[in-house]
Structure formats: structure tokens, C-alpha cells
Amino acid sequence: MMNHSSCCQHPDITHGMWLDIDAVIAENRNTPGALITVMRKCQNIVGYLPAALLDYIARGLNIPGSKVFGVATFYSYFSLTPKGRNTIKVCMGTACYVKGIKESIDRISAKYSVKEGKTSEDKRFSLEAVRCLGACGLAPVMVVNADIHGSISADKVIDILDKYS
Amino acid sequence: MDKPRTQLMLCGGTGCHSTGMSAFKETLQQALEKENLSREIRIVETGCNGFCAVGPVMLVQPEGIFYQKLRPEDVPELIREHFLKGRPVKRLFYTEPASKESIPDMNSIPFFAHQQFRVMRNKGLIDPEVIDEYIARDGYFGLAKALQDMTPQQIIEEVKVSGLRGRGGAGFPTGLKWDFAHKSPGDVKYVLCNADEGDPGAFMDRSVLEADPHAVLEGMIIAAKAINSHQGYIYCRSEYPLAIKRLEIAIRQAREYGLLGMNILDTGFDFEIDIYQGAGAFVCGEETALMRSIEGRRGMPRPRPPFPARKGLWDKPTILNNVETLANIPQIMLNGGKWYAGVGTETSKGTKVFALSGNVNNIGLVEVPMGTPLRTIIYDIGGGIPERKKFKAVQLGGPSGGCIPESLLDTPVDYEAIAKVGAIMGSGGVIVMNENTCMVDMARFFMDFIQDESCGKCTPCREGTRRLLQILEKICNGNGEPKDLEDLVELSDVIKNSALCGLGQTAPNPVLSTLRYFRDEYVAHIVEKRCPAKRCVSLLRFEVDPDLCKKCGLCFQVCPAHAISWEKKQIAVIDKEKCIQCLSCYAGCRFDAIL
């Protein structure tokens, strides 16, 4: 059994997190094809997947590190960089686009100095353009953390986002 | 338990959840308890009702009265007037936009009246988290018949007779697919359900999973019996948390009832289903890519043959069916293939669920018989285009589909007829676009999506779609040349003929269909350096036309950058130094006076 304290240290991963990560790896070690499941659970624990953690998962599951890195960069769910305190997901589905979500995105970018796919310098917001959320009845749609906001407009977004600090 | 006199079927779909259903439900629950009505009147949280545009919605049974846009403030009036005195609250009825008529009865609302429910027959009528309610609506009867009275060959024959074709997009005959897998040698076989609904503008699979998860499970178990498989996986997007939760509950309940697991219904047949969460890659909707993803690898397609029916997941014979396809199976078993084929066209049988959205009045899910004209879907069910705008195009089939103009709206929905006009049936997203949509910009939007989601394995798709995007961006930025149009067509042909998988082969469709029907818009961008729909920022002048300006000041009011100066009875002036080019004034002006 691997022991995290002897092999890796990371400023963003606490002792408790390492224990949870070990449990996830131990549970899935013998399941074929469990890599994506393990990575999802580990990202839920830490918030993102730092390189040291990818290495750790690779050794834990006995998979080459290159393969783990390949999978991590292939799927949009995985993030290799830390996220802001609040994550804004703007839906880039066709219905939202036709109804003018681009204007809202431009306004968010300008107001909070955060580019699409990036995190603002003060770590307040991460802005992600995501694939269709399937809530086209509410288009244009924005999800902040777990809150869904429908029928947004360039004017409304700032009022909504100002409430998240 | 006392039998309640009234049941309140409250929609618990994602749409209604986000428009405040939870707050309404809580207030209603408390009020019913306070009035001592909670034994007589029961609240049932159902799956998606389909009419997302007017959520949160509630159906009062057995009267069939439909309430819309409910707020917690409406609760006292509903209780006092309707539930105590029996006088339904008229102001919460649906109002027909054209005639301004209030319609209390759900089945009389045009949105519902033109539909025929098969896949969605239980939506809004059962609690998806209670298996007994599904069984009460003939649920698992089809499974019992298939397992107890039919051989695998008979099951496959019945599906073949039904004429059911894959609802995920390509339209491959389901019975034939099962037959191939049935005949493939091997002890280990897999049944997969594709719930990685990724097409922008398609949300029918999510709604089926949320409203009627047992129908999908039942379809999978019947498929397993047909090909003699003992393990199934549902590959679901992680963006659909509610669907995953309901599936987990449904699987647990089915196991408890002996409908899943070992020795199902005492017939000696074993089958297990697990849920596999996707990690966000559009290409994983492609069958071979999806199988790679379940194996824990990068979701990249591989050349076929060998087809998955021979070598699929872990190189074992595998069938992959879409959510909607599987949800059709139980009724085909119960009522027979002939019954199923009773509606539809020559080549496309049964019904199809469409997700209607965009610039249309009634947004939501629509289930109609195959062969229904697009015009019926958009105008009779969808209620037409809002704000007196003009219809421009309807986009069918997502990024692999195409845009269909007004002149072809009488095209019936049928796999072949749709393909003939340059789009595809796809998973069934129908996005209506009004005159403010720029078709060159739409082609650019889809190409941006595709080049981002291309897995990068084959060169035509990886490099070709990127190059198409560059040309389209050049045109949108006002730097287009006449030769670009030829290049677009030539490059599109190469990609279509040489890409590895369905994603690449259909990627040029949005470009080709817009070029076919809206060539004049491309020409306006390239030759006149003008965007007729006023969406392409680089081609706009941000000036007020003094002849058209009615001096109303609306643009002045909406400008967030205070870049417009205006006084009463004066023509507005835009200060280009301050202007942030946000297009608010274009949207605000009612006289088309900003150039």
C-alpha cells in the first residue's frame, strides 16, 4: 500500500484529502476502466487535479502517467488549474446563442476581468463556456456554482453575479 | 393510506426546478397541512412535463386543470378558491398568445393537443421515484411478456416488424442491430444505453430519464434478453445530476422487485445495470468512442468494421441504443410491432420526440408521429415566432444538421425527407431562428463547436474543421473574398468524404446548408461588407441613421457605457470612443435606425 506522506506533498491537498484519495484508489484499484471515475472523485475532493495528484493516481492504479495525463486533458470535466471561489458556467447551446448569450458573456468578461476558460486574478470567479445544459426552455442560461439562472441578459447578469463574493 | 380526492402533479424537471418549483412546493405543502388538507390532497413531484416555457407548472388531477408560472404567493388563492371552494383560479391558466383565451384543460392547449404520447406517455402522470406508479401504468408488463412468453428470436422479430430506427441520429434499424449482436458468438455481451445527450438544443433524453427512468431500464433488460447479455451500462452526462439520481433510485427499486439482478421474474435470466458518468466530450456520443470512454480511456473513435455488434466494449459483442429508442421497446413488446408501425411514414415508423427551442413562443418537448410537417411543429404546437419578428430558419440535428428555410417548412419529419433538404433528423433538436440571426455567424458558431470537440485523431476533421472556422471568421470580420465560398465547398467535400467517424463526416453540414439556402447573406458579408442581421460586430458602423431615428431615446436608456447622447426631440448620437460594441442599442431600437 502506498503512503502519501512519504511520496508527495502538495499545498492544496490536506492530510484529510489524502486519506479520502487513498480510499478512492483502494476501492477502484481492481476495477478495469476505473480511471475516469477515480479522477472525477479525486477532483471532487481537491477541487482540481494538480500534476502531483495525477502522478499519484497513476501509481495507485498502476497506469502510465502519460495515459493519465492524456485522459485528464481530453475531457472537459477535468481541470488542471485551481478554480475561483465561484464558478460561472454559461451555456453555449444553440438556443442560448440564438437568444444572445454572447452579449452576457462579453459583459461578464469586461466587468470582472475574467476571460472565458480562465479565473479572475482575485480568484472570485472562474468563467466557463459549457456545452448545452439541456435547459433550453430557460435560454439563455447561466449556472453559478449550483444555482441555475434562466432568461439572463447583459443587464441582468451583473445584478446576479454581484451577490457572489 | 387514505385515497386522496385530488392529486397535484407538480413538474419536477430541471426547467421548473430552476424557475422556483421548490419554493412553491414547500409553501403549498405547509399550507395544505395548515388547512388539514394533506390527507385529501396529495402533491406528486413528476418528471418533466415538457412545457418548460411556462414553468413551474402543475396539473390538478382528476380534473385535468393545468396551472402555469406558479409563485409561492399564489398558494393562498389556490387553496381558498380551488381546493376548498372548487373554483379554479383563472388567472393562472394558460393563455393562448393569439386569441388571448384562457384554457383550463391541459389537453385542449394547442401545445399538447397536436401531440401523440408514446415515449412520453407517463410524463407528468407518475412519480418517477416510485416504481409502483410505473407498474400501475403497465410498466414491466412488456418485460414479463418478453421474458416469459418469447424467445430472443421472437423479440428481435417484433422489433424488426415495428420498423423502429435509432433515435440518436443515424436512424439504423434497431431490430437489425440486435440481430447482428444476437448472432455474434460469445458468452459475454453488453447492452449499452447512450445517455450522453450532447447535441446543443436537444434535451429529450434528459426529460425521459427524469420523468420515466423505468421505461429505459425495461427496454435495456428486454434488449439483454434478445442478445443474451448479462451486463449493461448507462453512459450518462455528468451535467445531468437529476437524471442520474432518478436512474440510481430506479435501479435500486427494480432490484428490490426482482426485475433486475439474478433470476429476473423467476425465469432464470440474470442482468445487471450500472451507471457510468461521462466526463464531458461531445465525441463520446459516437459509439466506438463511448466504448473507449467506458474502458477508462480517451474517447476516440476507431474505424469500423469490426462493428460493435461483433467487437465492442472490451472487444465483446455490444449493442448501443439511445435513451429514446430503448424507451419505445416496452410498448412494442406489449402492443406488438404492427401496432407501433401503425403511425409514421413509409420508411420512418412511430413517433419522435423533438426539443423545440430558440425564437419560438412555446418552448418544450414535443412528441409527434413521424411525417408531421415542420410547419405544424413550429406554428401549431410552437405557437409561432414571438415579438412579431419574421421566421428565418429552423436548425435541425445539432452540429451535424442543417438550417432549413421558410420555403421548405412543409417538409415532413422523416429520416429520408430531412436528409434530402440538407439536414439530419439527429437526436431531435429543433431550434427556431428569427430575422435577427445571422446565418454566416450560425455556421461559424457550429464550426467553433465542432473544431473544439474534434478528438484530433484523424487529420480531415482536426485540421479541416479548424480551417473552415478560420475562413468563416474571416468572412464575419469583414475580410472575406469571393474565392472563400469555393474554398468552403471544396474543403467541406473533402472532410465529408475522408473523416473517420460520424462527427467529422457530418461536420460541414451547417456550412453547406447555410450556403445552399442563404448564399445571399454570405455575399452581403463578402462583397457589400454588410451583415444583414446586424450581428457581426466588425461589419457594423455603430452610427444612428438620422432619417430612420424617431428620437425616442430608447437606445440612450439601454446603453450600459453611457456612450449615447440624446435629448428630447433630438436625434441620438453614438460616441465611438466610449462605445463598447455590446449591441444593446441594436436590440433596443425598434426602428432599425442604428447602422
Side-chain angles (χ1 to χ4, degrees), chain B residues 236-297:
Chain B
C236 189
R237 289 180 75 180
S238 52
E239 288 94 332
Y240 287 175
L242 187 60
I244 292 173
K245 182 187 142 205
R246 296 224 164 118
L247 274 173
E248 283 168 350
I249 293 171
I251 290 174
R252 201 178 61 230
Q253 290 175 342
R255 275 190 198 131
E256 284 165 11
Y257 276 59
L259 297 162
L260 199 59
M262 304 294 273
N263 193 18
I264 296 172
L265 291 170
D266 286 327
T267 56
F269 180 68
D270 307 334
F271 186 62
E272 266 304 338
I273 296 177
D274 288 309
I275 301 170
Y276 197 92
Q277 282 189 50
F282 178 68
V283 70
C284 287
E286 200 278 341
E287 57 179 6
T288 58
L290 185 148
M291 290 166 199
R292 291 295 160 277
S293 183
I294 294 183
E295 291 168 6
R297 292 149 62 179

Side-chain angles (χ1 to χ4, degrees), chain A residues 32-33 35-36 40 67 70 74-77 92-95 97-99 103 107 131-134 136-138 148, chain B residues 18 200-201 203 206 237 276-280 282 293 295 297-299 357-359 363 441 444-445 453 535 560 582:
Chain A
L35 176 59
I36 293 172
R40 181 205 329 280
K67 198 183 156 192
F74 186 83
Y75 293 98
S76 61
Y77 186 85
M92 282 304 269
T94 320
Y97 190 75
V98 167
K99 289 197 157 184
E103 281 82 348
R107 191 69 67 84
R131 296 190 301 147
C132 184
L133 293 163
C136 311
L138 311 165
I148 302 174
Chain B
S18 60
F203 51 97
R206 192 206 75 210
R237 289 180 75 180
Y276 197 92
Q277 282 189 50
F282 178 68
S293 183
E295 291 168 6
R297 292 149 62 179
R298 292 168 72 108
S357 68
N359 302 127
I363 291 169
D441 184 55
R444 188 203 57 76
F445 165 79
E453 293 292 345
R535 292 292 301 168
C582 69

Side-chain angles (χ1 to χ4, degrees), chain B residues 487-535:
Chain B
D487 289 347
L488 283 176
V489 174
E490 193 187 344
L491 194 52
S492 294
D493 278 341
V494 172
I495 299 171
K496 262 184 119 129
N497 293 326
S498 57
L500 171 64
C501 77
L503 183 138
Q505 287 156 11
T506 57
N509 281 356
V511 179
L512 291 174
S513 76
T514 47
L515 260 175
R516 184 164 157 193
Y517 300 119
F518 301 96
R519 201 179 181 90
D520 53 330
E521 288 198 27
Y522 281 85
V523 173
H525 281 74
I526 293 171
V527 181
E528 299 165 40
K529 305 291 175 200
R530 183 175 70 85
C531 175
K534 297 189 177 174
R535 292 292 301 168

Side-chain angles (χ1 to χ4, degrees), chain A residues 90 100-109 140 152-155 157:
Chain A
V90 282
I101 197 151
K102 199 166 155 281
E103 281 82 348
S104 298
I105 298 174
D106 290 346
R107 191 69 67 84
I108 296 169
S109 291
I152 59 162
S153 65
D155 290 331
V157 281

Side-chain angles (χ1 to χ4, degrees), chain A residues 59-107:
Chain A
R59 267 174 285 159
L61 295 177
N62 201 17
I63 293 173
S66 59
K67 198 183 156 192
V68 174
F69 183 75
V71 170
T73 50
F74 186 83
Y75 293 98
S76 61
Y77 186 85
F78 301 121
S79 172
L80 275 58
T81 49
K83 293 272 174 68
R85 293 191 296 281
N86 302 289
T87 303
I88 308 168
K89 291 180 183 164
V90 282
C91 177
M92 282 304 269
T94 320
C96 291
Y97 190 75
V98 167
K99 289 197 157 184
I101 197 151
K102 199 166 155 281
E103 281 82 348
S104 298
I105 298 174
D106 290 346
R107 191 69 67 84

Side-chain angles (χ1 to χ4, degrees), chain B residues 94-103 110:
Chain B
Y94 171 78
T95 310
E96 179 61 23
S99 63
K100 304 277 176 240
E101 184 196 351
S102 296
I103 308 174

Side-chain angles (χ1 to χ4, degrees), chain B residues 46-202:
Chain B
T46 70
C48 182
N49 167 287
F51 203 178
C52 309
V54 296
V57 301
M58 179 170 83
L59 179 67
V60 183
Q61 290 284 45
E63 298 122 288
I65 289 175
F66 183 77
Y67 286 123
Q68 61 156 15
K69 295 185 183 165
L70 295 164
R71 297 275 163 265
E73 307 85 88
D74 301 328
V75 169
E77 192 181 346
L78 275 171
I79 298 227
R80 196 178 61 237
E81 292 297 315
H82 188 165
F83 304 145
L84 288 173
K85 297 182 186 166
R87 291 193 296 234
V89 183
K90 200 177 166 196
R91 69 176 179 88
L92 296 170
F93 291 169
Y94 171 78
T95 310
E96 179 61 23
S99 63
K100 304 277 176 240
E101 184 196 351
S102 296
I103 308 174
D105 172 37
M106 184 171 96
N107 295 324
S108 306
I109 296 172
F111 179 78
F112 296 102
H114 287 86
Q115 300 193 50
Q116 184 176 348
F117 298 119
R118 285 190 175 182
V119 172
M120 301 200 296
R121 70 191 187 97
N122 286 333
K123 61 138 201 179
L125 293 178
I126 63 167
D127 182 338
E129 301 185 6
V130 179
I131 189 171
D132 295 334
E133 302 203 1
Y134 177 68
I135 294 172
R137 298 265 305 157
D138 291 345
Y140 290 108
F141 282 51
L143 174 70
K145 190 175 167 190
L147 253 51
Q148 289 165 350
D149 306 334
M150 293 166 85
T151 63
Q153 285 84 356
Q154 284 171 327
I155 296 174
I156 291 168
E157 194 49 40
E158 211 57 55
V159 177
K160 277 187 180 169
V161 170
S162 75
L164 177 66
R165 294 170 66 177
R167 297 289 190 252
F172 191 81
T174 308
L176 206 56
K177 193 186 254 185
W178 290 13
D179 201 16
F180 289 146
H182 171 72
K183 286 179 180 147
S184 285
D187 298 334
V188 180
K189 296 182 183 179
Y190 296 105
V191 173
L192 307 184
C193 168
N194 188 349
D196 190 49
E197 186 171 55
D199 272 7

Side-chain angles (χ1 to χ4, degrees), chain A residues 49-62:
Chain A
L49 295 170
L53 180 55
L54 290 180
D55 269 347
Y56 191 74
I57 294 171
R59 267 174 285 159
L61 295 177
N62 201 17

